[in-house]
Amino acid sequence: MKLCCGSNLYASFSLETALREMSKIGFHYVDLWACKAICDHVDPEKMTAKEVKQLLKKYDMTAVSMTLFLMSDEERQKRMVFASELGIPVVIWEPAQSPDWNDNMTNLNPISIPYGKKRGSFNEYVEKLKEDLIFAKSLGLKVGIEVPHCYTFNEYLYQIYATNQAINDDDLVYIIAPPHANARGYEAEDVYCQISKERAYMLYLWDVKKDFVFPESNRAFGTGEEQMPGGGQRDFKKQIDYFNHNNFDGWYNVSCHGTENWTELDKINTCLKKAYNLVMPLIQQEKGGINYD
C-alpha cells in the first residue's frame, strides 16, 4: 500500500521513537527528515548508514524519500550522498526562493538557508535545478520538488507548468502540497494537471483548519491537530478519489507542520491514529483492497 508518513511529525523525539510509534500505528513506509532547521532525524555526522538501516529493519520500515529543506548547497550534497548510501530513491526540497521570500517567510528557524539565489530569477532557478539533478543522478537519486510552495518560483500554476516544460527529465519529480495550493487560490488537483503525471511522486495528505480562506489565511494552515488529516476541513475522500481516478501512482504521505514542537508523545499518536484510520480505508477502497507493496 503506497501510504507513508513524514518523520517530522515526531521532530521532538528520536528517529527510533518516530519509527517505533509509526510502525505501531500501522505505517511501513517513511519520509525521513534530515533538516537541521526543522527535524534532523538523519544526520550523517551523528549516524552511520548501517545504524539507520538497522533501525528501519527493526521496525519493519522502508524509507521512500529523504527531505532536505532549508540548508546550504554543501550540506544538501552531503546528505544526498547519505540518502544514496541508504538506498533511498528520492530526495525532497523546496523550490528556489522568489524575490519576496525574505519579506514573508519570517517564521522560520534562523538557521534556515533557502534554496536558490537571493532575489534571483526563474531562469537562474531552472539552471541551478538542472545542475543539482546532474549531481543527484550521479548518486542514483531523483530530486523531488515541493509544488507549490509559497514565496518561491513554483508558487503559481503557470510557474509549475513552466518548470515542468523547462526540465523535461524523469529524474525531476513532484511532491504536491495541497495547503500551499489553497493559500494561492487553487487545489492540488490543479497542480496535477500542470505536470507530467508519471513524475508526480507524492501527494501530501495535509489538512487545513476549518476557517482557512484565501487569501487572508496565507500560510496559517492551523494547529498541528488541524493540519493532521481529519482535524480540518479537507475532504480526503474526494481528493483521493480524484487522484486515483486520474492514474496517480505515487505515494500518499501523511505529513504536515504544526507538531514539530510537541513534547507529548500520546498527543501526536492520537492525531496520527485518527489520520491513519481516516485515509487508509479510502486508499484501500480505491485500490480495490489490493496490497501494492
Side-chain angles (χ1 to χ4, degrees):
M1 181 59 62
K2 299 187 80 168
L3 176 66
C4 67
C5 186
S7 76
N8 64 308
L9 299 177
Y10 292 89
S12 298
F13 300 89
S14 69
L15 173 61
E16 179 163 13
T17 297
L19 296 177
R20 183 190 69 224
E21 298 304 313
M22 286 188 282
S23 179
K24 285 180 183 178
I25 290 170
F27 291 96
H28 295 288
Y29 301 95
V30 60
D31 168 31
L32 288 178
W33 278 61
C35 314
K36 289 181 182 295
I38 303 175
C39 173
D40 204 12
H41 274 152
V42 187
D43 184 345
E45 294 184 358
K46 298 178 180 178
M47 309 176 75
T48 65
K50 181 179 179 181
E51 288 171 331
V52 177
K53 287 179 179 179
Q54 286 175 338
L55 284 177
L56 290 167
K57 183 177 181 180
K58 180 178 180 179
Y59 296 106
D60 191 24
M61 299 290 282
T62 299
V64 300
S65 55
M66 180 183 284
T67 292
L68 308 173
F69 289 156
L70 301 168
M71 63 187 64
S72 68
D73 293 342
E74 180 182 2
E75 187 68 31
R76 186 179 298 104
Q77 289 193 353
K78 183 191 306 180
R79 288 165 185 248
M80 289 168 72
V81 171
F82 199 46
S84 178
E85 292 173 353
L86 288 167
I88 295 173
V90 172
V91 286
I92 299 169
W93 63 75
E94 76 278 11
Q97 55 188 310
S98 57
D100 57 351
W101 171 281
N102 290 324
D103 298 327
N104 295 284
M105 297 290 288
T106 56
N107 63 343
L108 298 176
N109 187 319
I111 69 171
S112 300
I113 302 174
Y115 185 66
K117 180 180 178 182
K118 185 177 180 180
R119 302 196 183 280
S121 68
F122 177 81
N123 288 337
E124 287 173 319
Y125 162 48
V126 168
E127 291 308 309
K128 176 169 176 51
L129 198 46
K130 287 179 178 178
E131 292 175 3
D132 287 330
L133 272 172
I134 292 172
F135 182 73
K137 288 182 185 184
S138 74
L139 298 171
L141 298 170
K142 294 187 177 185
V143 171
I145 292 295
E146 180 182 311
V147 293
H149 191 299
C150 295
Y151 308 115
T152 71
F153 283 114
N154 286 151
E155 184 170 9
Y156 299 105
L157 291 172
Y158 76 91
Q159 294 173 318
I160 296 169
Y161 174 81
T163 301
N164 189 71
Q165 295 297 303
I167 306 181
N168 183 22
D169 190 328
D170 288 344
D171 288 313
L172 176 68
V173 298
Y174 301 103
I175 316 301
I176 303 175
H180 282 272
N182 297 157
R184 291 300 171 258
Y186 52 91
E187 295 293 338
E189 290 85 337
D190 299 315
V191 177
Y192 190 56
C193 292
Q194 304 303 315
I195 60 177
S196 304
K197 302 297 183 292
E198 65 277 8
R199 291 161 64 187
Y201 185 72
M202 185 176 287
L203 172 70
Y204 288 143
L205 299 181
W206 184 357
D207 218 336
V208 290
K209 62 184 178 181
K210 294 186 186 302
D211 59 347
F212 184 91
V213 292
F214 169 81
E216 290 86 354
S217 293
N218 200 6
R219 291 186 301 117
F221 303 135
T223 63
E225 295 96 331
E226 292 170 316
Q227 292 185 43
M228 201 84 81
Q233 68 181 19
R234 195 175 304 287
D235 184 340
F236 284 93
K237 183 180 188 311
K238 179 180 178 181
Q239 190 163 70
I240 291 171
D241 282 350
Y242 173 87
F243 275 86
N244 280 309
H245 291 163
N246 285 276
N247 302 313
F248 176 67
D249 193 39
W251 288 91
Y252 291 99
N253 182 358
V254 178
S255 185
C256 68
H257 297 287
T259 69
E260 281 103 358
N261 295 319
W262 287 7
T263 57
E264 298 174 45
L265 193 59
D266 288 344
K267 184 177 180 181
I268 300 172
N269 286 341
T270 297
C271 289
L272 189 55
K273 285 176 185 176
K274 178 181 177 182
Y276 180 87
N277 291 335
L278 169 66
V279 302
M280 177 57 89
L282 299 177
I283 296 172
Q284 288 178 324
Q285 177 181 329
E286 284 304 316
K287 295 300 184 183
I290 300 173
N291 190 317
Y292 276 71
D293 288 356

